[in-house]
Amino acid sequence: MKHDTSALGYAILGLLQGKPASGYDLRKIFSSTSMRTYSSSPGAIYPALRRLEREGMIRGTVEDGSGLRRRQVFRVTPKGLVELRRWIMLPIAREDLTSGLKTVMLRFAFSEKAVGASASLEILRSMEVALRPHLRELGQKLEEIRPVAPTSGWLALECGIRSYESLLQWSRYAISTYEKQLKGGTL
Amino acid sequence: MKHDTSALGYAILGLLQGKPASGYDLRKIFSSTSMRTYSSSPGAIYPALRRLEREGMIRGTVEDGSGLRRRQVFRVTPKGLVELRRWIMLPIAREDLTSGLKTVMLRFAFSEKAVGASASLEILRSMEVALRPHLRELGQKLEEIRPVAPTSGWLALECGIRSYESLLQWSRYAISTYEKQLKGGTL
DNA sequence: CGCCCCATGTAAGACGTTACATGATTGA
DNA sequence: TCAATCATGTAACGTCTTACATGGGGCG
């Protein structure tokens, strides 16, 4: 398999795994929820659906019957579910942190339903592990540029550092949330 | 003018405004600093440079003379500087917050050198203004989904909220930094 | 001489954006 | 009946990614 699925493809896969939906449904979800970052334009959604179907990740069935508008509802296939799980459980690398956290957070958001709570916990722990060296490196970079860059330059870098620190705090909070839940609830 | 410059184009413009550079220099900057998010591949940089030159934003001069390898150094033109300033001073809208803060932070990072410290301050204030309603909306969204979504779902949303809160705190810190600097230094 | 870094570029392909097109159905 | 919404698509265009190509120059 030469090309892997695009970010939009995985977002669709994750949503469909929650509940079967039509292209139009997905567009509404993308444009109305906090997933606005993903397309929502028909020129992106429908081709993405066709690609996923061609790869065997999803299957669309035309809803017919009582005088209905043509409407195609898509469901995740077993193969699609396997691929979704694989993508979610990829180890978190440094590039995942630097290239916008959107993708990682999407994987985490889908993780519980797709793989289970203990997998979500695993993602969180690997995120925490990846964050520490990254923060250290950014701190060093700040020391370097602070004397030579304009104020707005190093302030911007500090902004990044702070956001990663807040992410680290969140990950600890999320870990403890899951640990409580796993100890108390699912036993 | 039909197309505006791409994000990469503005990144290049901002860097060149700091110091003239060749395509290769830019590639090194992009791949070595915390601007890794931007391309750095020759297939992106060189076409972008040609586009900018075609639009009259930059001008390249081939360094010749003492037995040198062919090397083209680019400089920002007055027109390019105007365009860079316009882009930096665009009002900050909600979409700028939701669609990754990369662009906004890039604009801020370049602002001081390109337009001046008081412009940086203006950007920070407009950011603070844009953040408040955004945070309120995210808080409402959290209330909505918390009962119905899986734990990883609302935790992911909380992560977003926390990062915007940290951004708000940073903006206040940056504002006070600039206010001190403007009162004390440049008078 | 062979190898690696400098420095620039091109070609194929995937993806997303914008804008337009098409029809069915619901409601005023 | 006229507009709005549902629901799906297509075409043109621009940009990025990946991979390859090309040559000069320093160095062991």
Side-chain angles (χ1 to χ4, degrees):
Chain A
M1 207 169 304
K2 225 173 54 191
H3 323 290
D4 33 21
T5 312
S6 69
L8 177 60
Y10 285 116
I12 290 174
L13 221 47
L15 286 175
L16 290 182
Q17 163 248 349
K19 173 153 70 123
S22 69
Y24 193 76
D25 295 335
L26 292 169
R27 288 185 62 197
K28 272 188 300 186
I29 293 173
F30 282 130
S31 63
S32 71
T33 73
S34 36
M35 303 183 70
R36 250 180 294 281
T37 27
Y38 295 96
S39 82
S40 89
S41 81
I45 298 273
Y46 292 106
L49 284 169
R50 253 177 290 126
R51 284 195 300 272
L52 286 170
E53 192 166 32
R54 175 160 44 80
E55 304 278 336
M57 306 292 183
I58 62 177
R59 186 163 41 234
T61 56
V62 178
E63 266 191 6
D64 43 18
S66 51
L68 228 41
R69 306 183 188 89
R70 173 156 129 287
R71 186 171 186 276
Q72 204 175 1
V73 176
F74 292 91
R75 284 173 179 75
V76 179
T77 63
K79 181 182 175 190
L81 197 51
V82 167
E83 172 58 16
L84 179 64
R85 290 199 179 116
R86 187 194 65 80
W87 173 71
I88 288 173
M89 295 307 292
L90 284 175
I92 291 180
R94 291 288 278 289
E95 313 92 70
D96 297 321
L97 298 180
T98 58
S99 70
L101 296 153
K102 241 179 41 174
T103 313
V104 184
M105 290 314 297
L106 191 67
R107 283 163 54 188
F108 173 72
F110 289 147
S111 64
E112 188 174 324
K113 186 142 204 171
V115 201
S118 61
S120 310
L121 192 51
E122 201 178 310
I123 292 177
L124 290 170
R125 286 204 234 265
S126 86
M127 194 182 308
E128 208 190 335
V129 169
L131 272 168
R132 275 171 222 286
H134 190 239
L135 268 167
R136 225 175 306 134
E137 188 184 299
L138 286 178
Q140 285 171 3
K141 193 71 90 181
L142 180 61
E143 297 305 312
E144 283 174 32
I145 73 160
R146 193 163 191 150
V148 300
T151 310
S152 66
W154 57 262
L155 277 175
L157 186 52
E158 261 200 285
C159 179
I161 292 177
R162 279 163 176 249
S163 93
Y164 284 115
E165 273 165 356
S166 115
L167 182 62
L168 184 58
Q169 280 172 18
W170 169 85
S171 73
R172 284 200 270 256
Y173 152 72
I175 286 172
S176 83
T177 301
Y178 265 115
E179 278 171 346
K180 264 181 240 148
Q181 181 180 309
L182 286 173
K183 222 180 321 189
T186 34
L187 200 137
Chain B
M1 208 169 305
K2 224 171 57 188
H3 324 289
D4 32 20
T5 312
S6 70
L8 177 61
Y10 284 116
I12 290 174
L13 221 46
L15 287 176
L16 290 182
Q17 163 250 348
K19 172 152 71 122
S22 70
Y24 194 76
D25 295 335
L26 292 169
R27 287 186 62 196
K28 273 188 299 186
I29 294 174
F30 282 131
S31 64
S32 71
T33 71
S34 37
M35 301 183 71
R36 249 179 295 280
T37 28
Y38 294 97
S39 82
S40 89
S41 83
I45 298 273
Y46 292 105
L49 284 170
R50 253 177 290 127
R51 284 196 299 273
L52 285 171
E53 191 166 32
R54 175 160 44 79
E55 304 278 336
M57 305 292 184
I58 64 177
R59 186 163 40 233
T61 57
V62 178
E63 267 191 4
D64 43 18
S66 51
L68 228 43
R69 307 184 186 88
R70 177 157 127 287
R71 186 170 185 277
Q72 205 176 1
V73 176
F74 292 91
R75 285 173 179 75
V76 179
T77 62
K79 182 182 174 190
L81 197 51
V82 166
E83 173 58 16
L84 180 64
R85 291 200 179 116
R86 187 194 66 78
W87 173 70
I88 288 173
M89 295 307 292
L90 284 174
I92 291 180
R94 290 288 278 288
E95 312 92 70
D96 298 320
L97 299 180
T98 58
S99 69
L101 296 154
K102 240 178 44 176
T103 312
V104 185
M105 290 314 296
L106 192 67
R107 283 163 54 189
F108 173 72
F110 288 147
S111 64
E112 189 174 322
K113 186 143 203 169
V115 203
S118 61
S120 310
L121 192 50
E122 202 178 309
I123 292 177
L124 289 170
R125 287 205 233 266
S126 87
M127 194 183 307
E128 207 189 336
V129 168
L131 272 169
R132 275 172 221 288
H134 190 238
L135 268 168
R136 224 175 306 134
E137 188 185 298
L138 285 179
Q140 286 171 3
K141 194 70 87 180
L142 180 61
E143 297 305 312
E144 283 174 33
I145 72 159
R146 193 163 192 151
V148 300
T151 309
S152 65
W154 58 260
L155 276 175
L157 186 52
E158 262 199 283
C159 178
I161 292 176
R162 278 162 175 250
S163 93
Y164 285 115
E165 273 164 357
S166 114
L167 182 61
L168 184 58
Q169 281 170 18
W170 170 85
S171 73
R172 284 200 272 256
Y173 153 73
I175 286 172
S176 83
T177 302
Y178 265 116
E179 278 171 346
K180 264 181 239 147
Q181 180 179 310
L182 286 173
K183 222 181 315 191
T186 37
L187 197 135

